[in-house]
Amino acid sequence: MHFFSHKKGELYAEDVPVKELINKFGTPLYIYSYGTLIRHIRAYEEAFCEVPHIICYAVKANSNLAILRIFAELGIGADIVSGGELFKALKAGIKPYKIVFAGVGKTDEEIEYALKNNILMFNVESEAELHKINEKAKNLKKVASVALRVNPDIDPKTHKYIATGLKSSKFGIPIEKALDYYKLAKSMKNIKVIGIHKHIGSQITETSAYVEALNKILSLYDQLANYDMEIEYIDIGGGLGITYRDEEPPHPKELADVLIPLVKNKKGKLIIEPGRSIVGNAGILVTKVLYTKETEQKNFIIVDAGMNDLIRPTLYGSYHEIQPVTPGKKEKIVADIVGPICESGDFLAKDREIEKVSAGEYLAVMSAGAYGFSMSSNYNSRPRVAEVLVKGDQYALIRKRETYKDLIRNEIVPEELL
Ligand SMILES: *Cc1c(COP(=O)(O)O)cnc(C)c1O
């Protein structure tokens, strides 16, 4: 079942006509489906139910407080990469003992903040960070629980900007060095080694890379036992892909089916950090056609959403399906669907076959729930857009559209210098 589908000739979000939401909240507008979010969480829970596990949702994919709150209610944990994400996760009610903290550049303040809140563990990405966490924990008279993020040197066959487990990547500790660093960690007074972590990339569409990477970290896991290090948490990261166009990514169940046999006899609890596969297909971005324009070379459909609202096409060359909110025109054209931003890289789609829409009509950019709003900016002094959550025939605003005033809220004109 699809929660975004055409009924009676127009696009619905669950049981609400998208047009009704547009009339009420304007465009551009992110719309999320509660039913889809719940279904995706359940799919993971059911897939991995055979083994002890924690699902730590990757907050960076979509960090709206209302969405985090839905996950908190379901008892889901969080994978965070900043102090701000920790703040939001805690605010939403996610339990600190289900929060894991990754990232190559944790600051002193972020480390202290996480220590004070007793998160489950730091996923440590370098030797220097290990020393830093030990020192900070000592100052606070605490013991920091850590996993080392191991870089297993695996090619996840995805876009190079979202591959994170290759030797050349800035992430994690090279697997050959891992044993030495584990020994070092064990020798530190204010560090407790409890886990092993890897995350090899995003939008992964084959299970083989997961199997290969997990096997690599499990051989390290076995080695660690010989050094009297008992690993309680095996954190396999996130990265499962979704269908944007014609990809056929594995269902969480298929992933579980190949991974569970590998960990079944290990003592450690599994941690899974899905982001995109939870929220990606749970959201759309609705935009209004402002103008159409034909040049000798191209047709352009100029819309009111730009790369500041959804940067994925610009940043990764990503494909998003785009469909009219009220389809039905026979004539099709091939067009670039572009935003109002003053950059040639500002596009939502290139050379796309689409119904011949006119100014004033609306388009839905599908599968925009992950790395959509969370990557948005105010570039071109554009207020960030509103977000709405739909549940059945009910809906609620979960983020107000910014105003011009919001744009200058933190800016200061130093009269004394002018
Ligand atoms: C981004 C990230 C994830 C989530 O990746 P998805 O592709 O959105 O599932 C999980 N773990 C870590 C450490 C990450 O950086």
Side-chain angles (χ1 to χ4, degrees):
M1 170 156 117
H2 276 283
F3 287 98
F4 294 101
S5 60
H6 286 277
K7 301 181 217 175
K8 301 170 212 154
E10 60 176 318
L11 183 64
Y12 272 65
E14 301 205 5
D15 301 325
V16 181
V18 165
K19 202 67 193 290
E20 182 178 332
L21 300 170
I22 292 170
N23 291 341
K24 184 126 186 179
F25 302 108
T27 57
L29 180 67
Y30 274 100
I31 302 172
Y32 305 111
S33 151
Y34 178 89
T36 311
L37 295 170
I38 300 283
R39 182 181 63 192
H40 292 167
I41 294 287
R42 292 216 174 111
Y44 271 99
E45 288 289 14
E46 282 162 22
F48 288 94
C49 68
E50 246 182 87
V51 290
H53 68 272
I54 310 176
I55 295 171
C56 291
Y57 164 70
V59 173
K60 74 177 186 290
N62 187 320
S63 61
N64 184 288
L65 208 54
I67 287 174
L68 296 180
R69 176 66 186 281
I70 293 170
F71 298 153
E73 296 283 328
L74 293 170
I76 297 300
D79 162 48
I80 58 161
V81 293
S82 73
E85 287 190 353
L86 177 55
F87 173 77
K88 293 184 91 173
L90 292 172
K91 201 89 185 155
I94 292 176
K95 299 284 183 271
Y97 57 82
K98 289 185 180 176
I99 296 179
V100 296
F101 190 174
V104 294
K106 301 177 190 79
T107 65
D108 291 23
E109 294 76 16
E110 287 174 323
I111 291 167
E112 281 164 14
Y113 181 35
L115 282 168
K116 284 180 184 158
N117 282 283
N118 302 312
I119 63 164
L120 175 60
M121 65 185 188
F122 292 88
N123 290 334
V124 177
E125 307 231 11
S126 62
E127 181 187 357
E129 184 190 332
L130 204 50
H131 286 290
K132 176 64 70 64
I133 293 174
N134 186 44
E135 172 202 321
K136 292 288 159 201
K138 186 174 173 213
N139 294 345
L140 292 171
K141 300 192 173 56
K142 291 203 170 243
V143 174
S145 294
V146 306
L148 296 194
R149 175 172 183 173
V150 177
N151 180 338
D153 191 22
I154 297 280
D155 184 357
K157 302 195 180 68
T158 183
H159 191 281
K160 63 178 193 282
Y161 287 3
I162 52 176
T164 56
L166 280 163
K167 237 184 186 143
S168 55
S169 148
K170 72 174 177 178
F171 296 100
I173 287 164
I175 191 145
E176 318 80 64
K177 291 249 178 76
L179 183 58
D180 286 342
Y181 291 163
Y182 266 104
K183 289 183 195 164
L184 173 67
K186 190 171 189 280
S187 74
M188 291 177 165
K189 275 221 173 77
N190 295 79
I191 294 282
K192 185 179 179 211
V193 172
I194 65 165
I196 187 163
H197 175 238
K198 60 113 183 132
H199 170 72
I200 55 173
S202 197
Q203 186 55 14
I204 301 169
T205 52
E206 294 168 14
T207 54
S208 55
Y210 281 96
V211 172
E212 210 184 323
L214 182 55
N215 274 326
K216 279 199 174 179
I217 67 163
L218 286 178
S219 61
L220 176 62
Y221 171 100
D222 292 337
Q223 253 182 312
L224 293 173
N226 298 334
Y227 293 89
D228 203 24
M229 278 183 267
E230 213 177 89
I231 297 299
E232 296 169 56
Y233 296 95
I234 302 168
D235 185 343
I236 63 166
L240 201 60
I242 64 170
T243 302
Y244 286 103
R245 187 178 195 171
D246 49 13
E247 304 91 331
E248 291 180 351
H251 187 273
K253 180 84 179 78
E254 291 168 68
L255 185 62
D257 284 347
V258 294
L259 298 186
I260 287 176
L262 307 179
V263 295
K264 218 170 178 172
N265 300 318
K266 309 283 179 197
K267 270 204 204 122
K269 204 179 219 186
L270 205 60
I271 294 178
I272 314 136
E273 305 172 338
R276 187 191 310 272
S277 52
I278 302 286
V279 291
N281 285 327
I284 63 172
L285 171 64
V286 178
T287 182
K288 181 179 175 172
V289 178
L290 297 174
Y291 302 99
T292 58
K293 153 161 140 177
E294 286 165 39
T295 68
E296 232 172 79
Q297 301 270 323
K298 290 239 182 206
N299 292 310
F300 291 100
I301 298 172
I302 301 158
V303 297
D304 67 354
M307 62 185 270
N308 71 303
D309 303 308
L310 178 67
I311 204 173
R312 299 190 66 259
T314 305
L315 188 59
Y316 313 120
S318 305
Y319 181 98
H320 283 269
E321 193 189 318
I322 298 180
Q323 39 175 278
V325 168
T326 315
K329 287 195 200 61
K330 293 236 164 54
E331 194 182 345
K332 291 205 168 163
I333 56 165
V334 173
D336 282 10
I337 300 167
V338 302
I341 302 249
C342 300
E343 297 277 346
S344 294
D346 177 30
F347 60 88
L348 297 175
K350 290 240 175 192
D351 299 320
R352 184 67 60 88
E353 191 183 66
I354 185 160
E355 281 183 23
K356 193 169 185 211
V357 288
S358 344
E361 292 187 66
Y362 297 97
L363 298 176
V365 183
M366 310 307 287
S367 307
Y371 307 104
F373 189 92
S374 66
M375 286 183 130
S376 67
S377 77
N378 290 119
Y379 186 43
N380 275 206
S381 289
R382 286 163 51 83
R384 280 181 303 167
V385 308
E387 296 176 284
V388 173
L389 179 69
V390 177
K391 180 184 185 182
D393 58 4
Q394 297 171 288
Y395 55 82
L397 188 65
I398 58 171
R399 185 185 173 100
K400 287 191 223 168
R401 187 176 301 283
E402 286 180 347
T403 62
Y404 291 155
K405 259 199 171 146
D406 291 326
L407 293 176
I408 56 166
R409 196 166 28 174
N410 292 324
E411 296 183 19
I412 297 162
V413 179
E415 297 296 346
E416 70 277 18
L417 302 184
L418 306 179

